[in-house]
Amino acid sequence: MTQRGETQSKAKSTDDSAAPGFSQPGANDVSGVQDDWVAQTLKTSPAISITTDILPSDSAMGIEAPPLPTEQLLEMYRGALTIRLMEESLLAAAEEGKIGGAMHTAIGHEANAIGAAFALRPGDYITCTYRGHHHGLAWGMDPGRAIAEVMGRADGFAKGKGGSMHFVSPEHGLMGANGIVGAQAPHAAGLALASWLRGEDRVAITFFGDGAFYQGVMHETFNIAAKWKLPLIFYCENNRYSEMTPIWRTSSIDDIYLFPRSYGMASMQIDGNDVEVVHAAVSQAAARARAGEGPTFIEGITYRLAGHMAGDLETYRPQAEIEMQKAYEPLTVLRQKLRARGVEETQIAAINEEVDESMDEAVAFAEGSPWPDPAEAYRDVYT
Amino acid sequence: MTQRGETQSKAKSTDDSAAPGFSQPGANDVSGVQDDWVAQTLKTSPAISITTDILPSDSAMGIEAPPLPTEQLLEMYRGALTIRLMEESLLAAAEEGKIGGAMHTAIGHEANAIGAAFALRPGDYITCTYRGHHHGLAWGMDPGRAIAEVMGRADGFAKGKGGSMHFVSPEHGLMGANGIVGAQAPHAAGLALASWLRGEDRVAITFFGDGAFYQGVMHETFNIAAKWKLPLIFYCENNRYSEMTPIWRTSSIDDIYLFPRSYGMASMQIDGNDVEVVHAAVSQAAARARAGEGPTFIEGITYRLAGHMAGDLETYRPQAEIEMQKAYEPLTVLRQKLRARGVEETQIAAINEEVDESMDEAVAFAEGSPWPDPAEAYRDVYT
Amino acid sequence: MRRTTYIQAINEALREEMRRDENVFLIGEDVGHYGGLFRVTRNLLDEFGEKRVLDTPISEQAFVGMALGAAMVGMRPIVELMYMDFTLVAADQIFNQIAKYAYMTGGLLNIPLVIRGQQGGGKRYGSQHSQSVESLYAHFPGIKVVAPATPYDAKGLLKSVIRDDNPVAFLEHKMLYFTRGDAPPPDEEHLIPIGKAEVKREGSDLTIATFSYCLLQALEGAATLHEKYGIDCEIVDLRTIEPLDTETIWESVAKTGRLLAVHESYAMCGIGAELVARAYEEVPHLLRAPARRVGMAPVSIPVSRALEEEVLPWKEEIIATVLEMERE
Amino acid sequence: MRRTTYIQAINEALREEMRRDENVFLIGEDVGHYGGLFRVTRNLLDEFGEKRVLDTPISEQAFVGMALGAAMVGMRPIVELMYMDFTLVAADQIFNQIAKYAYMTGGLLNIPLVIRGQQGGGKRYGSQHSQSVESLYAHFPGIKVVAPATPYDAKGLLKSVIRDDNPVAFLEHKMLYFTRGDAPPPDEEHLIPIGKAEVKREGSDLTIATFSYCLLQALEGAATLHEKYGIDCEIVDLRTIEPLDTETIWESVAKTGRLLAVHESYAMCGIGAELVARAYEEVPHLLRAPARRVGMAPVSIPVSRALEEEVLPWKEEIIATVLEMERE
Ligand SMILES: Cc1ncc(C[n+]2csc(CCOP(=O)(O)OP(=O)(O)O)c2C)c(N)n1
Ligand SMILES: Cc1ncc(C[n+]2csc(CCOP(=O)(O)OP(=O)(O)O)c2C)c(N)n1
Ligand SMILES: [Mg+2]
Ligand SMILES: [Mg+2]
């Protein structure tokens, strides 16, 4: 049984001593890896693949990422760490058999959600995938109720009906995670349409994976959104795997971010592990959307440090690849940034402790939450 | 009631005297048209739109179209005229109430089918759309049985079960027209896959319209075909309308033929009204496919001279647009070519007469064909 | 009373509801500038403009999914599927998304959305343009299903459907489009509740439960049965398929003791089988003869007139089945 | 006899048929290098190579449509849908294309193709990963539907299914994957015919017609009913849902006089309703009490353990319904 805080990514998240230094020379040298998986995986985006290549990571293609105030970075750190610790708690709970079904954690993806959430406004809309816990928390959902939902308890925001794959919280703008790859993209386009029809300045953002890119519904949605200049942001979290299949094995498209330009859409490829870069890109996209200039496509290069879903044995990628990526994962990058700004270790440690404690409380809340009344099973089919 | 040979395109097809001269100066001047429909329609492909712009039409982008032997051109003329006259007969029959359902004719599209059919080999595969009569005849189907099928008679190749929208003749390589926009593209990819798995050198070609381009399944098929380097030709008959909606109204893509390059696919835009150009393009694509170089995308610019389907009142496009296009329609272009090669008018007239007569026979055959036995309704659900 | 066609009745309902509530908008292929392939949305663009009558590309998955997104925040999209057969193209959005959204979100969201379009055989459109989908829609919980047979019902029900806070499939029939019937005055508030069947013919011998174009076929069949055989059928027009108004049907069966369900979707796992099963669950004691159903034969609807007539579960088959049942 | 898991039985059938006929190939997401999300196709790539075990992108419409294309010329594709819920994503290709192709072409083509994958509830996968689709498939003519409950049947039926010249949906159940049972010797020709039901428990009081994981639930229920109430159920395992082996069911009903159909797809317009309707069409005289059906409640299958258990039509509900029927 795995101890809490010790996920498949092995490094305890509140302590990055196990990870190599932030810009350690040779870190993007993959020659030490026994097989060619890493090299082939990186082939998808040879020019600018991951933080490795685009360091220092405060800029991305066409993006000026001005430094955010340290206070905000600290908030972002708190947010990202909350996500990480919740995911680790959930993995542990899953191993104990407390969670069924398919649970996909976002360990390693945190910056995509946090950077975007801080760039958007209350009233904006978001849809995402089954890998959506990070979006839920980044947009303000309570971790206790989130865990309760994953565990199928009565205090879950959907009374335990939706579970891990269907995070939703309209009051926070989160209009639904989705279990069907690609299905949530047109929903965001519809939300953007509603905003446009009503003459509001709300923006919609939809998150999806690199694998989702090959679903037909994406193409349809790209075309309509571009044609109608909908206030919409397509955010692709490219972790270069689609379940157990590396993207290069099934994709004929070398650079995902170039593809949407065929629709006349603005698009960019960014370091999705750097909250400041993500924040800058999403801010720019949102400004375009609010100005009536239509949708923007953002490809955030990222990596999932844990398995595709709880229970994944990860036979399809070498440990060395995961180890290499740990140097560039969001929390490591964030801590490095904070230190570079002169934030004291004690301050970081204090946040770590606070988040750790509040996560304990959240877990306790969820585990203490009752099972829903069986009669609840028959409600909500219709309003 | 419309007389036979006098379709909605008004010009009798065996006589092009009504059409403006082949390269009449100012023919592509659309200023005379009352509204902006034509200009907006042409906007989709401003660079090289239709024969108007790319005349003399013996070349297309990246395509050397060597002149075909006159004998072959004469055969192509016979083929194209057979299609035209069959379509006109069918429209007349539809007006008389002899045909139900949705019947889409290919008047104006003939060259796309004829050019392609002459470029491919027996054993190659084809799938197409509900607008598939021209492919059927070009690939060798008997007009009498084809008309019988459209009329739902027992001698139809599918015993009257498939009708106009489901032309099929495996012995000729035609594996099926389809009533669902876009659905036939993966079928061709599957046929190409079969050829590849079996180590054969058969090529598959799939025809679809400009409107089909926005169906998700097309995107999915493009990606897989390109990734697996399938021996496949994607042929888009771009007539710039999707039913009653001009393509510019719903498309965010300016040049369809550029789009597939994102998948690493070879692609070209050609004059789809010129059999020699089509022949050259498809030959080139087929050679690539047989050499294991993967799929090619061809955008054939064309125009439908009749309504979207029998009964279409064509309120959505101005008569002037149709008139203008008559100068560049396949039969006119073909006759012009034949004359330029020194073919005598009498020889053309002889073909006209022969085809006319054989079409009379075909119609008579079809109308004389019995209704299928009602018991037939229950057969063929399973083999 | 004013007379109108079925198409006109729907067009009027759309117009009135769009005037009444600016959250209502139309989306689909050719619905705007052309006014719909079957002219059901004719002239609505003129009055409401391009923003409320949206012409889409041929991208059913996307525009159905977009309607869902818009409905999440209280817009009331009306999606036209040009042929209801295209339900299958957008099936994920319809059955995995729209139907489930309220439930999966534990009621945090509700989806006021209409999917409408024409279906059915009789015009030789063949396998992919003639299917009836009411049983398919009814199989999945979470979408109501309405299929009116008369212009009067069509108008009154469509207005209710647009105002309903749940997703509803509103199924028209291509054979009904040019039928004429009474119409309520255009400016009068005329609503027919969802989930209410109506007896369209009184009779004492046997209950036919049906809807949509089959209702007209059943009425014709009943006339023949009366004239030729002296059999008096009571005909219940379900109008709504989900939720089923079994109460009205059972009331009729209490009188007749016999139930025949008739519909044009496939018989196999169809709404007719459902009615038979419910009858034996809920009112077995009322049945004096085995309850029966008639639906589309298990074939893909051929084009040929001779074959299509053979497989459609229309008048002849209704009469034959009633005669069989009367012998039992 | 050798024992094996359900997964292993399927894996063996695939391997044997791929060895026997080089037209057989596998296509789907993660089926090759990884060996399938549920490891059903494990190690097949090693033996047959990348050309016969094809890893696709997440493009269900395209790869299902491609399987159809390849089948047109005699290849025998076996498509894995990772979850049978994704049927809805590829519904046009499955129901408008594959199911209709032989018919629309007047028999010029036939489509030897298999769609297989796991379905069903019980593991808290929620609304979009737990549906049972047998009734959906059965509603559309043109695709056979097979859903074996034991490793023995799974192996023998899958081999028959692969050799069948028609499209077949082969439905596995996630709760069956790790169940163990007898297995025929790996090298023996072991075929179970499509369309043949089997009595899995003899009894005299009531016939339960069921299949897939519900069979196991029914067997457990029957044991309880026997022990606690002295009621002896006969259990007919349909194994094939389309075509239905009504003969075997009616034989059993002739003995028991009572019929209960049990399945996990939605009850509404489900295969259970179909069986009830057929019983009253074909053998009303055999029924000594109203025929009944039990299926999934009309809700989208919630994640919470407490709620999922509530809506699944399993043991408790079977027992309760049998007791009700015995009182009638
Ligand atoms: C339509 C559909 N097909 C397949 C799946 C199974 N599935 C779930 S996640 C996944 C991989 C998605 O990869 P990607 O889009 O890159 O997102 P990631 O999981 O990497 O975040 C697949 C194939 C699904 N849920 N829906
Ligand atoms: C999935 C689907 N949606 C809509 C239709 C209705 N429909 C038939 S043809 C057509 C237009 C197709 O346009 P295009 O692809 O340009 O081909 P064209 O008819 O111009 O040859 C439409 C919308 C259909 N048959 N299938
Ligand atoms: Mg991924
Ligand atoms: Mg077109």
Side-chain angles (χ1 to χ4, degrees):
Chain A
M1 217 202 328
T2 313
Q3 290 299 305
R4 168 126 183 281
E6 191 191 326
T7 70
Q8 280 153 300
S9 74
K10 298 299 181 299
K12 185 148 166 49
S13 303
T14 46
D15 169 16
D16 59 359
S17 57
F22 176 48
S23 48
Q24 190 181 317
N28 58 350
D29 177 359
V30 299
S31 58
V33 179
Q34 272 105 328
D35 67 5
D36 63 352
W37 282 77
V38 173
Q40 283 191 287
T41 302
L42 290 175
K43 245 179 31 188
T44 317
S45 319
I48 301 170
S49 64
I50 179 65
T51 321
T52 42
D53 292 10
I54 52 176
L55 286 173
S57 61
D58 54 2
S59 75
M61 295 193 65
I63 289 285
E64 286 291 306
L68 294 170
T70 305
E71 268 317 300
Q72 193 166 349
L73 273 188
L74 281 165
E75 275 317 294
M76 288 174 141
Y77 176 65
R78 182 188 300 276
L81 187 63
T82 305
I83 294 167
R84 178 70 58 92
L85 291 194
M86 182 176 85
E87 298 295 47
E88 292 178 346
S89 305
L90 287 171
L91 281 174
E95 280 210 27
E96 290 167 27
K98 291 177 183 163
I99 294 166
M103 184 181 73
H104 311 78
T105 63
I107 296 179
H109 282 238
E110 297 88 346
N112 301 280
I114 293 286
F118 275 79
L120 294 174
R121 297 184 193 159
D124 289 340
Y125 301 122
I126 155 182
T127 71
C128 61
T129 75
Y130 49 85
R131 193 180 314 288
H133 300 174
H134 52 326
H135 306 117
L137 295 203
W139 259 264
M141 287 174 83
D142 172 62
R145 294 194 62 202
I147 299 171
E149 181 64 29
V150 176
M151 292 185 169
R153 304 304 176 96
D155 290 304
F157 39 82
K159 302 178 251 177
K161 290 182 179 175
S164 167
M165 292 202 277
H166 303 288
F167 269 39
V168 61
S169 184
E171 62 173 307
H172 296 102
L174 174 55
M175 307 308 283
N178 214 294
I180 301 296
V181 168
Q184 76 286 358
H187 304 170
L191 289 157
L193 176 67
S195 168
W196 177 64
L197 293 177
R198 288 172 164 163
E200 299 174 340
D201 70 348
R202 294 170 195 256
V203 161
I205 186 168
T206 183
F207 292 91
F208 51 95
D210 45 295
F213 204 76
Y214 306 95
Q215 276 289 39
V217 69
M218 299 302 305
H219 167 63
E220 298 183 2
T221 309
F222 291 150
N223 177 54
I224 297 180
K227 181 67 188 176
W228 294 357
K229 288 199 185 302
L230 296 179
L232 180 59
I233 304 169
F234 291 104
Y235 194 112
C236 177
E237 293 180 63
N238 182 357
N239 61 15
R240 287 155 295 159
Y241 285 89
S242 164
E243 296 221 333
M244 291 68 185
T245 297
I247 194 69
W248 58 261
R249 184 170 289 138
T250 55
S251 167
S252 67
I253 296 169
D254 277 339
D255 275 293
I256 283 180
Y257 80 100
L258 290 177
F259 186 91
R261 295 195 182 160
S262 303
Y263 304 94
M265 219 189 289
S267 73
M268 47 189 148
Q269 186 183 51
I270 63 164
D271 179 355
N273 282 358
D274 183 326
V275 287
E276 285 181 302
V277 173
V278 173
H279 183 275
V282 174
S283 299
Q284 210 176 83
R288 275 180 48 82
R290 288 190 231 278
E293 292 164 26
T296 301
F297 186 96
I298 299 172
E299 179 189 5
I301 303 289
T302 191
Y303 191 78
R304 73 169 150 71
L305 291 168
H308 170 69
M309 56 204 264
D312 179 357
L313 299 176
E314 295 185 76
T315 55
Y316 51 89
R317 60 180 187 179
Q319 189 58 32
E321 177 184 307
I322 304 172
E323 289 306 323
M324 187 194 91
Q325 295 288 346
K326 281 187 191 159
Y328 317 108
E329 61 90 2
L331 287 184
T332 301
V333 173
L334 254 165
R335 287 196 203 99
Q336 183 69 23
K337 277 180 194 280
L338 291 173
R339 287 174 192 134
R341 301 276 176 91
V343 173
E344 298 292 326
E345 289 300 326
T346 51
Q347 204 177 342
I348 296 176
I351 295 178
N352 292 352
E353 210 163 306
E354 274 167 48
V355 174
D356 211 48
E357 266 170 37
S358 69
M359 197 52 61
D360 283 336
E361 281 164 31
V363 171
F365 169 82
E367 297 200 335
S369 174
W371 293 107
D373 175 2
E376 188 56 61
Y378 304 101
R379 294 186 195 123
D380 301 325
V381 177
Y382 296 109
T383 296
Chain B
M1 218 199 332
T2 314
Q3 291 298 304
R4 168 129 182 280
E6 192 190 326
T7 70
Q8 280 155 299
S9 76
K10 297 298 184 296
K12 186 150 164 46
S13 305
T14 46
D15 170 17
D16 59 359
S17 58
F22 178 47
S23 49
Q24 190 181 313
N28 59 350
D29 176 359
V30 300
S31 58
V33 179
Q34 271 106 329
D35 66 9
D36 63 350
W37 282 76
V38 173
Q40 283 191 286
T41 301
L42 290 175
K43 245 180 28 190
T44 317
S45 318
I48 302 171
S49 64
I50 180 65
T51 320
T52 40
D53 292 9
I54 54 176
L55 286 173
S57 61
D58 54 2
S59 74
M61 296 193 65
I63 288 285
E64 286 291 304
L68 294 170
T70 305
E71 269 315 301
Q72 193 167 348
L73 273 188
L74 281 165
E75 276 317 294
M76 287 174 141
Y77 177 65
R78 180 187 302 275
L81 187 63
T82 304
I83 295 166
R84 178 71 57 93
L85 291 195
M86 182 175 85
E87 298 295 47
E88 292 179 347
S89 305
L90 287 170
L91 281 174
E95 280 210 25
E96 289 166 29
K98 292 177 182 163
I99 294 166
M103 185 181 72
H104 312 77
T105 64
I107 296 178
H109 282 238
E110 296 88 346
N112 301 281
I114 293 287
F118 275 79
L120 293 174
R121 298 184 192 158
D124 289 340
Y125 301 122
I126 156 184
T127 71
C128 62
T129 75
Y130 49 85
R131 193 181 313 289
H133 300 174
H134 52 326
H135 305 117
L137 295 202
W139 259 264
M141 286 174 84
D142 172 62
R145 295 194 61 203
I147 299 171
E149 182 64 29
V150 177
M151 292 183 168
R153 304 304 176 95
D155 290 304
F157 39 82
K159 303 177 251 176
K161 290 181 179 176
S164 166
M165 291 202 277
H166 302 289
F167 268 39
V168 61
S169 184
E171 63 173 307
H172 296 104
L174 174 54
M175 307 309 283
N178 213 295
I180 301 296
V181 168
Q184 76 287 357
H187 304 169
L191 289 157
L193 176 67
S195 168
W196 176 65
L197 292 177
R198 287 172 165 164
E200 298 174 340
D201 71 348
R202 295 169 193 256
V203 161
I205 186 167
T206 184
F207 292 91
F208 53 94
D210 45 295
F213 203 76
Y214 305 95
Q215 276 289 40
V217 70
M218 299 302 303
H219 167 63
E220 299 184 1
T221 308
F222 291 151
N223 177 53
I224 297 180
K227 181 67 188 177
W228 295 357
K229 289 200 184 303
L230 296 178
L232 180 58
I233 304 169
F234 291 104
Y235 195 112
C236 177
E237 292 180 64
N238 182 357
N239 61 15
R240 287 153 295 157
Y241 284 90
S242 163
E243 295 221 335
M244 291 67 187
T245 297
I247 193 69
W248 58 261
R249 184 170 289 140
T250 55
S251 168
S252 67
I253 296 169
D254 278 338
D255 276 292
I256 284 181
Y257 79 99
L258 290 177
F259 186 90
R261 295 193 182 162
S262 303
Y263 304 94
M265 220 190 292
S267 73
M268 47 189 150
Q269 187 183 51
I270 63 164
D271 179 355
N273 282 359
D274 183 326
V275 287
E276 286 181 302
V277 173
V278 174
H279 183 275
V282 174
S283 300
Q284 209 176 83
R288 276 179 48 81
R290 287 190 231 277
E293 291 164 26
T296 301
F297 186 96
I298 299 172
E299 179 189 3
I301 304 290
T302 191
Y303 192 78
R304 74 170 149 70
L305 291 168
H308 169 69
M309 56 203 266
D312 179 356
L313 299 175
E314 295 185 74
T315 54
Y316 52 88
R317 59 180 187 180
Q319 190 58 33
E321 176 183 307
I322 304 172
E323 289 308 324
M324 187 194 91
Q325 295 288 346
K326 282 188 191 158
Y328 318 108
E329 62 92 0
L331 287 183
T332 302
V333 173
L334 254 166
R335 288 197 202 98
Q336 184 69 22
K337 277 179 195 279
L338 291 172
R339 287 175 192 133
R341 301 276 177 92
V343 173
E344 298 291 327
E345 290 298 329
T346 51
Q347 204 177 342
I348 297 176
I351 296 177
N352 293 352
E353 209 163 305
E354 275 167 46
V355 174
D356 212 47
E357 266 169 37
S358 69
M359 196 52 62
D360 284 336
E361 282 163 30
V363 171
F365 170 82
E367 296 200 333
S369 174
W371 293 106
D373 175 2
E376 187 57 60
Y378 303 102
R379 293 186 196 123
D380 301 324
V381 177
Y382 296 109
T383 295
Chain C
M1 221 187 239
R2 200 171 57 99
R3 304 273 293 171
T4 182
T5 63
Y6 192 90
I7 287 183
Q8 188 55 32
I10 295 174
N11 184 274
E12 277 177 22
L14 293 172
R15 185 183 303 273
E16 289 172 24
E17 293 306 303
M18 288 180 79
R19 283 189 186 152
R20 196 188 53 79
D21 181 351
E22 60 179 20
N23 288 309
V24 178
F25 70 95
L26 307 183
I27 185 165
E29 292 152 11
D30 293 322
V31 294
H33 290 270
Y34 189 67
L37 183 62
F38 293 89
R39 319 294 284 143
V40 172
T41 55
R42 180 159 43 183
N43 295 334
L44 295 177
L45 183 122
D46 297 343
E47 177 168 348
F48 301 102
E50 281 195 325
K51 268 193 146 183
R52 291 184 65 197
V53 191
L54 291 149
D55 277 325
T56 67
I58 313 175
S59 304
E60 283 87 1
Q61 295 182 81
F63 69 75
V64 171
M66 288 174 65
L68 168 52
M72 288 179 196
V73 290
M75 296 296 295
R76 293 182 172 268
I78 302 176
V79 182
E80 174 170 306
L81 290 180
M82 198 182 270
Y83 293 78
M84 285 309 296
D85 310 65
F86 307 159
T87 293
L88 293 170
V89 179
D92 177 63
Q93 288 295 336
I94 296 173
F95 302 117
N96 265 337
Q97 310 295 336
I98 291 170
K100 296 176 176 167
Y101 227 83
Y103 193 84
M104 291 191 304
T105 63
L108 288 177
L109 291 170
N110 68 294
I111 309 298
L113 171 157
V114 181
I115 296 174
R116 52 154 293 275
Q118 55 79 36
Q119 65 175 24
K123 291 211 176 270
R124 294 174 272 161
Y125 277 84
S127 300
Q128 296 173 333
H129 288 69
S130 305
Q131 292 163 102
S132 289
V133 295
E134 68 274 0
S135 300
L136 173 63
Y137 275 88
H139 182 56
F140 291 90
I143 303 194
K144 299 183 182 178
V145 187
V146 171
T150 67
Y152 192 91
D153 287 349
K155 181 164 180 191
L157 268 164
L158 182 51
K159 286 169 71 87
S160 297
V161 154
I162 294 170
R163 298 184 195 188
D164 197 277
D165 285 334
N166 298 287
V168 188
F170 185 87
L171 307 178
E172 302 154 20
H173 195 295
K174 50 173 83 59
M175 296 292 284
L176 289 174
Y177 269 169
F178 297 99
T179 57
R180 294 186 162 273
D182 291 341
D187 30 279
E188 196 177 278
E189 185 76 342
H190 162 69
L191 297 171
I192 292 177
I194 298 173
K196 277 274 151 234
E198 187 181 65
V199 175
K200 285 270 162 61
R201 182 188 199 281
E202 307 233 350
S204 49
D205 296 332
L206 182 147
T207 299
I208 300 180
T210 188
F211 54 91
S212 189
Y213 185 60
C214 284
L215 175 78
L216 274 57
Q217 291 287 327
L219 286 167
E220 281 187 33
T224 307
L225 284 161
H226 176 71
E227 285 157 29
K228 279 211 199 161
Y229 305 94
I231 299 172
D232 247 328
C233 294
E234 175 141 313
I235 301 188
V236 180
D237 179 3
L238 299 184
R239 302 195 294 197
T240 299
I241 286 86
E242 155 75 9
L244 274 173
D245 178 7
T246 43
E247 205 176 307
T248 302
I249 309 171
W250 301 165
E251 245 170 56
S252 173
V253 175
K255 211 164 72 174
T256 64
R258 284 175 157 75
L259 172 65
L260 171 62
V262 179
H263 56 94
E264 211 183 292
S265 54
Y266 295 121
M268 176 96 173
C269 298
I271 188 72
E274 176 66 23
L275 276 172
V276 171
R278 288 224 196 159
Y280 286 100
E281 268 164 9
E282 299 176 16
V283 290
H285 53 285
L286 297 181
L287 296 163
R288 293 203 298 268
R292 292 278 296 273
R293 53 74 200 263
V294 155
M296 174 69 68
V299 308
S300 307
I301 312 177
V303 162
S304 175
R305 181 201 297 274
L307 303 181
E308 191 188 38
E309 274 171 12
E310 172 67 24
V311 299
L312 286 167
W314 286 357
K315 189 176 155 186
E316 318 287 279
E317 194 165 342
I318 295 170
I319 293 174
T321 311
V322 169
L323 291 176
E324 261 182 44
M325 289 174 73
E326 287 294 319
R327 276 194 293 271
E328 263 155 6
Chain D
M1 222 187 236
R2 200 172 56 100
R3 304 273 293 171
T4 182
T5 64
Y6 192 91
I7 287 184
Q8 187 55 32
I10 295 173
N11 184 275
E12 277 177 22
L14 293 172
R15 185 184 303 273
E16 287 171 25
E17 293 306 302
M18 289 181 78
R19 283 189 186 154
R20 197 188 52 78
D21 182 351
E22 61 179 21
N23 288 310
V24 178
F25 70 95
L26 307 183
I27 186 166
E29 292 151 12
D30 293 322
V31 294
H33 290 270
Y34 189 67
L37 184 62
F38 293 90
R39 319 294 284 143
V40 172
T41 56
R42 181 159 42 181
N43 295 334
L44 296 176
L45 183 122
D46 297 342
E47 177 169 348
F48 301 102
E50 280 195 327
K51 268 192 147 184
R52 292 183 66 197
V53 190
L54 292 150
D55 276 325
T56 66
I58 313 175
S59 303
E60 284 86 0
Q61 295 182 81
F63 69 75
V64 171
M66 288 174 64
L68 168 53
M72 288 179 194
V73 290
M75 297 296 295
R76 294 181 171 269
I78 302 176
V79 183
E80 174 171 306
L81 289 180
M82 197 181 272
Y83 293 78
M84 285 309 296
D85 309 64
F86 307 160
T87 293
L88 292 169
V89 179
D92 177 64
Q93 288 296 336
I94 296 173
F95 302 117
N96 265 337
Q97 310 295 336
I98 290 171
K100 295 176 177 169
Y101 228 82
Y103 193 84
M104 292 191 303
T105 63
L108 288 177
L109 291 170
N110 68 294
I111 309 299
L113 171 157
V114 181
I115 297 173
R116 51 156 292 277
Q118 55 78 38
Q119 65 175 26
K123 291 209 176 274
R124 294 173 271 162
Y125 277 83
S127 299
Q128 296 174 332
H129 289 68
S130 306
Q131 291 164 103
S132 290
V133 294
E134 67 274 0
S135 300
L136 173 64
Y137 275 88
H139 182 56
F140 290 90
I143 304 195
K144 299 184 182 178
V145 186
V146 171
T150 67
Y152 193 90
D153 287 349
K155 181 166 181 191
L157 269 165
L158 182 51
K159 286 169 71 87
S160 296
V161 153
I162 294 170
R163 298 184 194 187
D164 197 277
D165 286 334
N166 298 288
V168 188
F170 185 87
L171 307 178
E172 302 154 20
H173 195 293
K174 51 173 82 59
M175 295 294 283
L176 289 174
Y177 269 170
F178 297 98
T179 57
R180 293 184 163 272
D182 290 342
D187 30 281
E188 196 178 277
E189 185 75 343
H190 160 69
L191 296 173
I192 292 177
I194 298 173
K196 278 273 150 237
E198 187 181 65
V199 175
K200 286 269 163 61
R201 182 188 199 280
E202 307 233 349
S204 50
D205 297 330
L206 183 146
T207 299
I208 300 180
T210 187
F211 54 91
S212 189
Y213 185 60
C214 284
L215 175 77
L216 273 58
Q217 292 286 327
L219 285 167
E220 280 187 31
T224 307
L225 284 162
H226 176 71
E227 285 157 29
K228 278 211 198 156
Y229 305 93
I231 299 173
D232 247 326
C233 294
E234 176 142 314
I235 301 188
V236 180
D237 180 2
L238 299 183
R239 302 196 295 197
T240 300
I241 286 87
E242 156 74 10
L244 273 173
D245 178 8
T246 42
E247 205 177 307
T248 301
I249 309 172
W250 301 165
E251 243 169 58
S252 173
V253 175
K255 212 163 72 174
T256 64
R258 286 175 155 75
L259 173 65
L260 170 63
V262 179
H263 57 92
E264 211 182 293
S265 54
Y266 294 121
M268 176 97 173
C269 297
I271 189 70
E274 176 66 23
L275 276 172
V276 171
R278 289 226 194 157
Y280 285 100
E281 268 163 11
E282 298 175 16
V283 291
H285 53 285
L286 298 181
L287 295 164
R288 293 201 300 267
R292 291 278 296 272
R293 53 76 200 260
V294 154
M296 175 68 69
V299 308
S300 308
I301 311 178
V303 161
S304 174
R305 181 202 296 275
L307 303 181
E308 190 187 36
E309 274 171 12
E310 172 68 23
V311 299
L312 286 166
W314 286 357
K315 189 175 154 185
E316 318 286 282
E317 194 165 343
I318 295 169
I319 293 174
T321 312
V322 169
L323 292 177
E324 263 182 43
M325 289 174 73
E326 286 294 319
R327 276 195 291 273
E328 265 155 6

